[in-house]
Amino acid sequence: MTAQYIMVVDDEPDIRQLVSEILEDEGYRVVTAENAAKAKELHRSRKPDLVLLDIWMPGQDGISLLKEWRENDTLCCPVIMMSGHGTIETAVEATKLGAQDFIEKPLSMAKMLLTISNALRASQLEKENRGLRKQMSSSLEPVGNSQTMQRLREQAKRIAQHDTRVLLYGEPGVGKETFARHIHALSNRKDRPFVRAALPTNKDSNHSLNNVLFGREDHGKIQYGLLDEANGGVLFLAEIFELDHDTQNRLLNALKENRYMRIGGNDWVDMDITLMASSSHDLQDDVKGGKFNEELYYLLNVVPVMIPPLHEHPEDVPELLNHYVDILTAQDGLPYRHISLAAQNFLRNHSWPGNIRELRNLVQRLLILGTETEVSLEEAEEAVGARIPVFSQEIGHIPESLFDLPLRQAREQFEHDYLIYQLKQADGNVSKLADQVKMERTHLYRKMRSLNVDPKKYGR
C-alpha cells in the first residue's frame, strides 16, 4: 500500500514487461505506458514517485515529453532517461531539462535498480530537508516522562499499527502536529511523505482553498494539490473546522470514494493517504451549529486523541525547558544558558496558557536577551510577567467599583462576566456565542481559556 509508484514509458513491449516484473519483485508499484500520450494520461491520474522514460518513441519522443512537463511545471519527480542510441549531447540535453540520470540500452538491471534507488533516495532527502527547514524546532518524539506523556506515546504506538484516520484535539500550542508526526514516524508509511496542509487564511478564498487541497487542471496543465503531494503518505489538516462547506463536501466525497477530481479536471485520481486532522475545540459544537458536516465528522473521528494542556502535566516542564535550550542552541546558534533550579521550579508552576509553544518562545527569549550564563529566578519571573487573576467565577460579583481596579484587571473582569452572560443567552453553545459577540471561534476559545470561563458549565 505504501510502495513507491514508478511509471515506465517505452514503446517496446518486451522492455516494459521485463522492467515492470523486476521492479515489482523489488517491491515497487509499476504502471507502464507505450507512448507519450499514455504517459501523460497516467501522469494526470496520479503523481508518480519516479519515471523511467525512453528517448526514442514513435510520435512524441521522450526529450520532447520531458520538456513539455518542465514547461508546464509538472515535472514533479525524478526522471531517468533510457536510450539504445545515447550520445553525450542527448544526455546533457536531458539533464538540462531536469532528468535525474541517463542509462543506456541494453539495460543492465543491476545498474538500473541502483540508479532508481539513488534517485528515489535523493528525492526523499530533498523532501525531508524541506520538511526539516519548516520544522527546525520540532521534536520527532514528544518530550516528557510524566505518566500523561508515557500514556500518549503508548497510544501513538498502537495507532501507528493501523492505517486509520486520527483526529487530534487540544488547545493551541499543545503539540498536536508533533504527535501526528510521531504517529507517522512509527507507521508503515514512515518512508512516505508527511504533508502539512498550509491552507489559505482568507475565508472568502474558497476557490483557492480547493486548488490547494485538490489541485487544478487548466488546458492540460496540471497544478498538483496537497492530496497529490501526500499520495502514499500522510496528509495533516490543522484546525480542520476552518474548512468551508464546499471544501468539506469535496473532502467527504474523496474519503468515501477513495478518489478525487482536480478542480477543472475530468479524470478521477486514486487516493492512497492516511488523513490526520486537528482541532482546538470539540467539533461536535460545530456540527450542532451547522458549521461542520456531520458525516465528515464521523468519518474523521475514527480515533480521537486528546492532547492535554501543559498545566496538566507540569512535571514535564523542566525537561521541556532543557530540550528547547538544546534545540535552539544547536539549530539556531543561540548562546547556551543554564536555567537554574529555582527558575525551573518557578516555571513548573506557571499556568502556561500558550502551552508548549509559549514555553519554547520563552526559552528563545531568555537565550536571546540574557547576558549571564545562568537564568536566575528573577529573570524567569520577569520574562513570564505577573498574571492578574479574575476574581469571580459567576456574574454578579463585580467589585463595588471597577474604577478602583487597574485598567487591565478591570477590563478582564468585565470581559469575564460579559462572556458568562452571553454564554447563558446562548445556552452554552460556543458557535452561537461567536455569532453574538462577533468573534472568530479560535480567538474566542483562547479568550475564554485565559479568563477561566468554561462553556460546558452553561449548557442545558
Side-chain angles (χ1 to χ4, degrees):
M1 191 169 190
T2 61
Q4 290 171 302
Y5 182 68
I6 296 178
M7 184 195 304
V8 179
V9 187
D10 197 298
D11 62 314
E12 298 181 53
D14 291 344
I15 289 181
R16 291 199 305 273
Q17 182 177 354
L18 176 63
V19 171
S20 177
E21 289 175 352
I22 290 173
L23 292 179
E24 286 174 350
D25 287 343
E26 292 295 317
Y28 297 109
R29 180 180 173 187
V30 184
V31 291
T32 61
E34 66 275 14
N35 53 42
K38 182 64 176 178
K40 286 188 277 190
E41 178 186 333
L42 292 172
H43 194 269
R44 280 194 299 272
S45 67
R46 176 171 174 179
K47 179 181 176 183
D49 292 306
L50 182 139
V51 176
L52 280 172
L53 179 58
D54 188 27
I55 290 181
W56 306 112
M57 297 184 295
Q60 187 177 14
D61 62 80
I63 293 289
S64 300
L65 178 58
L66 178 65
K67 185 176 181 181
E68 180 181 323
W69 279 338
R70 178 173 179 173
E71 289 176 348
N72 289 341
D73 199 26
T74 53
L75 190 60
C76 59
C77 67
V79 176
I80 298 173
M81 307 302 294
M82 304 182 294
S83 174
H85 311 283
T87 64
I88 294 177
E89 291 78 9
T90 305
V92 169
E93 183 182 2
T95 303
K96 285 181 178 179
L97 290 171
Q100 183 88 10
D101 212 328
F102 185 95
I103 53 179
E104 292 182 312
K105 295 179 180 178
L107 297 173
S108 162
M109 293 303 157
K111 181 180 179 180
M112 181 190 73
L113 290 174
L114 179 62
T115 303
I116 289 172
S117 176
N118 289 339
L120 287 170
R121 182 60 184 154
S123 177
Q124 182 66 26
L125 285 173
E126 183 181 350
K127 291 176 182 177
E128 289 174 359
N129 287 336
R130 286 200 301 267
L132 284 172
R133 285 193 292 270
K134 292 179 182 177
Q135 300 293 331
M136 286 291 282
S137 62
S138 292
S139 169
L140 186 61
E141 181 171 320
V143 175
N145 285 313
S146 64
Q147 288 187 358
T148 297
M149 296 303 292
Q150 291 180 35
R151 185 177 67 252
L152 282 169
R153 284 196 292 267
E154 283 300 317
Q155 194 173 5
K157 288 180 183 177
R158 291 196 298 271
I159 293 170
Q161 295 172 12
H162 307 279
D163 202 14
T164 188
R165 297 177 196 123
V166 181
L167 185 52
L168 296 144
Y169 284 108
E171 297 177 0
V174 295
K176 298 186 287 292
E177 183 178 345
T178 298
F179 270 91
R181 289 181 177 275
H182 182 51
I183 293 169
H184 169 245
L186 297 172
S187 73
N188 64 349
R189 293 180 184 261
K190 62 185 177 182
D191 296 324
R192 307 296 289 129
F194 179 99
V195 177
R196 184 191 190 280
L199 303 177
T201 56
N202 183 354
K203 301 294 185 183
D204 296 325
S205 58
N206 297 352
H207 192 62
S208 175
L209 178 56
N210 284 326
N211 288 343
V212 169
L213 267 182
F214 299 96
R216 182 173 183 80
E217 291 188 33
D218 188 10
H219 301 295
K221 182 176 180 180
I222 302 173
Q223 172 192 322
Y224 288 108
L226 294 173
L227 288 174
D228 289 298
E229 191 177 342
N231 229 338
V234 171
L235 177 65
F236 176 70
L237 287 171
E239 304 297 16
I240 195 166
F241 61 85
E242 295 185 347
L243 295 181
D244 58 82
H245 285 294
D246 181 44
T247 308
Q248 289 178 34
N249 289 331
R250 286 180 179 272
L251 182 60
L252 171 63
N253 291 331
L255 293 176
K256 289 167 64 176
E257 299 288 337
N258 264 338
R259 61 179 187 171
Y260 59 95
M261 196 175 288
R262 300 189 188 96
I263 309 303
N266 297 311
D267 299 319
W268 289 104
V269 181
D270 291 334
M271 186 170 73
D272 173 22
I273 65 167
T274 293
L275 182 64
M276 299 188 196
S278 73
S279 176
S280 56
H281 65 261
D282 192 344
L283 284 179
Q284 289 190 54
D285 290 339
D286 295 338
V287 171
K288 292 174 183 176
K291 295 186 177 181
F292 199 83
N293 187 292
E294 184 174 15
E295 190 176 1
L296 177 59
Y297 166 73
Y298 286 114
L299 275 178
L300 294 172
N301 198 43
V302 177
V303 181
V305 178
M306 174 61 72
I307 312 297
L310 184 53
H311 68 78
E312 292 186 8
H313 52 109
E315 59 269 41
D316 291 323
V317 168
E319 187 176 351
L320 283 163
L321 290 169
N322 291 318
H323 169 75
Y324 282 113
V325 167
D326 292 341
I327 288 288
L328 291 167
T329 53
Q331 295 182 350
D332 290 6
L334 295 177
Y336 176 83
R337 302 187 70 199
H338 171 67
I339 301 177
S340 69
L341 186 60
Q344 289 186 41
N345 285 334
F346 167 75
L347 294 171
R348 190 177 186 274
N349 294 309
H350 179 54
S351 60
W352 299 111
N355 294 296
I356 295 174
R357 185 183 298 142
E358 179 189 357
L359 183 145
R360 181 196 182 282
N361 291 344
L362 177 102
V363 171
Q364 187 175 29
R365 188 159 64 249
L366 289 170
L367 296 183
I368 291 172
L369 298 178
T371 56
E372 304 295 329
T373 56
E374 184 172 84
V375 178
S376 66
L377 171 61
E378 293 75 15
E379 188 179 358
E381 290 175 338
E382 183 179 348
V384 168
R387 294 189 71 219
I388 301 174
V390 174
F391 291 130
S392 68
Q393 295 300 317
E394 294 291 341
I395 193 167
H397 295 277
I398 295 176
E400 185 173 347
S401 175
L402 283 176
F403 298 105
D404 293 335
L405 297 174
L407 176 61
R408 176 182 168 187
Q409 188 171 334
R411 183 178 66 247
E412 290 188 354
Q413 183 66 62
F414 170 77
E415 289 177 342
H416 171 270
D417 291 349
Y418 169 81
L419 287 175
I420 288 179
Y421 172 80
Q422 295 290 351
L423 264 171
K424 289 181 175 179
Q425 302 303 307
D427 297 329
N429 187 302
V430 179
S431 295
K432 289 182 181 178
L433 176 65
D435 291 336
Q436 288 172 195
V437 302
K438 310 301 181 189
M439 283 185 71
E440 200 274 329
R441 281 172 295 160
T442 302
H443 299 308
L444 181 58
Y445 272 98
R446 191 176 295 120
K447 172 64 72 175
M448 287 193 293
R449 187 172 63 254
S450 69
L451 296 173
N452 298 320
V453 175
D454 183 358
K456 292 185 176 67
K457 291 182 179 180
Y458 305 99
R460 290 182 181 175

